[in-house]
Amino acid sequence: MSASLDDGGSRPPQTTDPVPTPASRRRTRERLAALRGPAVPPRPLDARALAALAANPGCRRRALLDGAGVDKGALASRLGSPAPFGQSQFAIVRGNSFEARVKADGGRELLRLLGVEDPGAVAVPDLSASGPEGRTARTALALREATAAGGWALLDHPLLTLEVAGSPVHLEPDAVVVDPAGRWTVVEIKSFPMVDGAADAAKVGAAARQAAVYVLALERVAALTEGAGVRHSVLLVCPKDFSNLPTASVVDVRKQRAVTRRQLERLTRIEEIAEALPEGLSFDLEGRSAEELSQAVEAVPHAYAPECLAACELGFHCRSRAREADAVQTLGRAVRGELGGLTTVGAVLAAARGEHGDPEDPAVAALRRARALRQEALDGAEAAACR
C-alpha cells in the first residue's frame, strides 16, 4: 500500500530554549556522574522512556534518575521491588528481523510504502561518526544536505538530540525520510501485526507517543535548516496480518506532540533537583548497600500514580512506600485531584465521619454526603430484610 502524508508538516520558528553554558553543562555532568557512580556508565534515555517521563512531569525522582543515567531496573531489584515487565528476547529478535527486512536493498520496501517509484534515485547518506555528538552533528548535516538537494533521502537510524530538564538526551528513530519538498517524516517500525489495516490501539498509542518525541527532536534541527519542515504525521510500518510482509499506516501525532512538549517544559531542571540533595548522596549500585540506596531514593520527592506500574521500573517500590504512608496517590490521579488537601486515606475516612476537616471544604462536604447516602441505603436494606 502507499501511505498518504499530506498533512503539510510544520515550518518551526527558531528555538527559544535557554542554552546552557559549557561550564554549567560540565558541572551538571560531573554532579550526575557522582550520583550515578563515577565508574558507572550512564544508561541511555530512549524515546519510550522519555515519553513515559513526560507523562508524569511532577516526579522529580524519575527525572533525576533518568537524567543521571541510573539503571532503574537494577536499582529496583536492589531495593527488593523488581519491575516484572520488559521486552522478551524473542520479541527483540523478531523486531530486529522485521526491521532488517523493511530496510533491505536500500529501503526498497519502505520506499514502496511511501509511493516512491524509483528507489534507486533515493539518497542513503552514511551517518557513521565518532561518539554520540559526532553522530548527532552528522545527522544534522545529512538532513540539511538532503533538504537542499531537493530529492528523496532515507536516513537509517539517525541520531537526534532533545534538551530535557536542562540535560541533553540522544534519540535514535528507526528512520527519517526527506521528500523533494523538504519535509521530514519519522518512520516507526514495529513488529506487532496490522490485521485488516488496523493494529492494537494501545500499541499504536504507545508508538505515537514515542514518535512524537522524535518529531520534537527533529523540529530543533529543522528550526536551523532553511526550507525544512517536519511532518506531524508519522509512518507506522508493521507486519501485514500474520505474515512478515510490511504494510504501513499514517498516524497523526499532533496531540501527542503537544502534550509531550507541554509536559517536558514542566520538568524541573536536573541541576535544580540535584542541588537540593544532601552531600554525598549516591545511587552507585556497587558502592552502596541496599539500605543506603533506599535512603538515597527516599531523599528525592516522587509523584506516584498507578500508571507508573506500567511505565517505570521503580513503580512498585514507590507504590509500596505510598501505601506505607497511607497516601491517596495510590487511588489514582483523578481521586487525588478531587480530594484537595486530604492527603491520606485516614484523613479521608475521618473527614467522611465528621471527625476531621472543614465542613465548608467541597471535598469534605462531598465525602460526608456520600457517607450519609451510603448509611441511608444500608438502613433501607436492613429495614426491608426485617419485613
Side-chain angles (χ1 to χ4, degrees), residues 206-241:
R209 290 189 292 274
Q210 184 176 340
V213 175
Y214 297 138
V215 169
L216 288 172
L218 267 180
E219 287 179 341
R220 293 176 62 88
V221 184
L224 304 174
T225 305
E226 184 178 355
V230 181
R231 293 186 185 277
H232 294 162
S233 292
V234 304
L235 190 71
L236 177 63
V237 182
C238 299
K240 183 178 182 180
D241 299 325

Side-chain angles (χ1 to χ4, degrees), residues 116-127:
V116 180
E117 297 179 359
D118 183 13
V122 177
V124 184
D126 180 12
L127 302 180

Side-chain angles (χ1 to χ4, degrees), residues 14 32 35 51 82 139 169 173 180 298 346:
Q14 295 291 323
L32 296 181
L35 289 171
T139 294
V169 175
E298 295 309 312

Side-chain angles (χ1 to χ4, degrees), residues 127-144 155 157-162 168-172 217 220-221:
L127 302 180
S128 59
S130 177
E133 287 78 12
R135 288 187 59 203
T136 301
R138 182 69 189 90
T139 294
L141 178 60
L143 285 168
R144 287 194 291 270
L155 279 68
H157 282 289
L159 196 66
L160 308 169
T161 302
L162 191 63
V169 175
H170 297 291
L171 304 166
E172 188 175 5
R220 293 176 62 88
V221 184

Side-chain angles (χ1 to χ4, degrees), residues 68 98 102 118 138 268 281 315 327-328 349:
F98 178 68
V102 172
D118 183 13
R138 182 69 189 90
T268 305
L281 184 141
V328 296
L349 296 176

Side-chain angles (χ1 to χ4, degrees), residues 28 31-32 35 53 60 62-68 164-167 267-275:
T28 299
R31 177 62 168 143
L32 296 181
L35 289 171
L53 175 60
R60 294 190 168 203
R62 173 156 194 169
L64 179 70
L65 293 174
D66 281 344
V164 179
S167 181
L267 283 172
T268 305
R269 296 180 69 85
I270 299 297
E271 57 265 32
E272 293 178 18
I273 303 174
E275 286 298 324

Side-chain angles (χ1 to χ4, degrees), residues 93-366:
V93 171
R94 185 174 186 273
N96 291 340
S97 174
F98 178 68
E99 181 178 341
R101 170 163 185 168
V102 172
K103 293 180 177 178
D105 298 327
R108 182 175 295 273
E109 282 291 326
L110 174 57
L111 296 168
R112 175 183 64 81
L113 294 171
L114 284 164
V116 180
E117 297 179 359
D118 183 13
V122 177
V124 184
D126 180 12
L127 302 180
S128 59
S130 177
E133 287 78 12
R135 288 187 59 203
T136 301
R138 182 69 189 90
T139 294
L141 178 60
L143 285 168
R144 287 194 291 270
E145 290 176 342
T147 303
W152 287 95
L154 171 63
L155 279 68
D156 184 8
H157 282 289
L159 196 66
L160 308 169
T161 302
L162 191 63
E163 200 81 17
V164 179
S167 181
V169 175
H170 297 291
L171 304 166
E172 188 175 5
D174 293 327
V176 171
V177 174
V178 180
D179 68 21
R183 291 171 297 186
W184 304 350
T185 302
V186 171
V187 178
E188 270 292 281
I189 302 174
K190 298 297 184 182
S191 59
F192 56 80
M194 195 175 293
V195 182
D196 294 331
D200 181 271
K203 293 180 178 179
V204 173
R209 290 189 292 274
Q210 184 176 340
V213 175
Y214 297 138
V215 169
L216 288 172
L218 267 180
E219 287 179 341
R220 293 176 62 88
V221 184
L224 304 174
T225 305
E226 184 178 355
V230 181
R231 293 186 185 277
H232 294 162
S233 292
V234 304
L235 190 71
L236 177 63
V237 182
C238 299
K240 183 178 182 180
D241 299 325
F242 297 102
S243 69
N244 206 32
L245 179 67
T247 188
S249 177
V250 175
V251 180
D252 189 333
V253 298
R254 283 176 293 184
K255 179 180 178 181
Q256 291 85 352
R257 171 194 167 277
V259 170
T260 301
R261 181 174 183 174
R262 183 169 63 251
Q263 298 292 61
L264 289 178
E265 288 174 349
R266 288 179 55 198
L267 283 172
T268 305
R269 296 180 69 85
I270 299 297
E271 57 265 32
E272 293 178 18
I273 303 174
E275 286 298 324
L277 299 178
E279 282 295 326
L281 184 141
S282 173
F283 302 100
D284 188 350
L285 299 179
E286 299 297 327
R288 295 291 188 274
S289 66
E291 182 179 353
E292 290 173 320
L293 289 172
S294 179
Q295 292 174 354
V297 168
E298 295 309 312
V300 188
H302 69 103
Y304 170 77
E307 296 87 344
C308 296
L309 298 178
C312 180
E313 294 89 338
L314 281 175
F316 288 84
H317 172 81
C318 295
R319 181 182 68 173
S320 175
R321 292 296 182 268
R323 285 176 171 176
E324 289 176 5
D326 201 29
V328 296
Q329 282 90 336
T330 58
L331 304 177
R333 288 195 181 100
V335 175
R336 173 69 187 89
E338 292 290 338
L339 292 174
L342 302 173
T343 59
T344 68
V345 175
V348 171
L349 296 176
R353 292 191 296 263
E355 302 168 357
H356 173 76
D358 181 1
E360 300 299 321
D361 186 333
V364 173

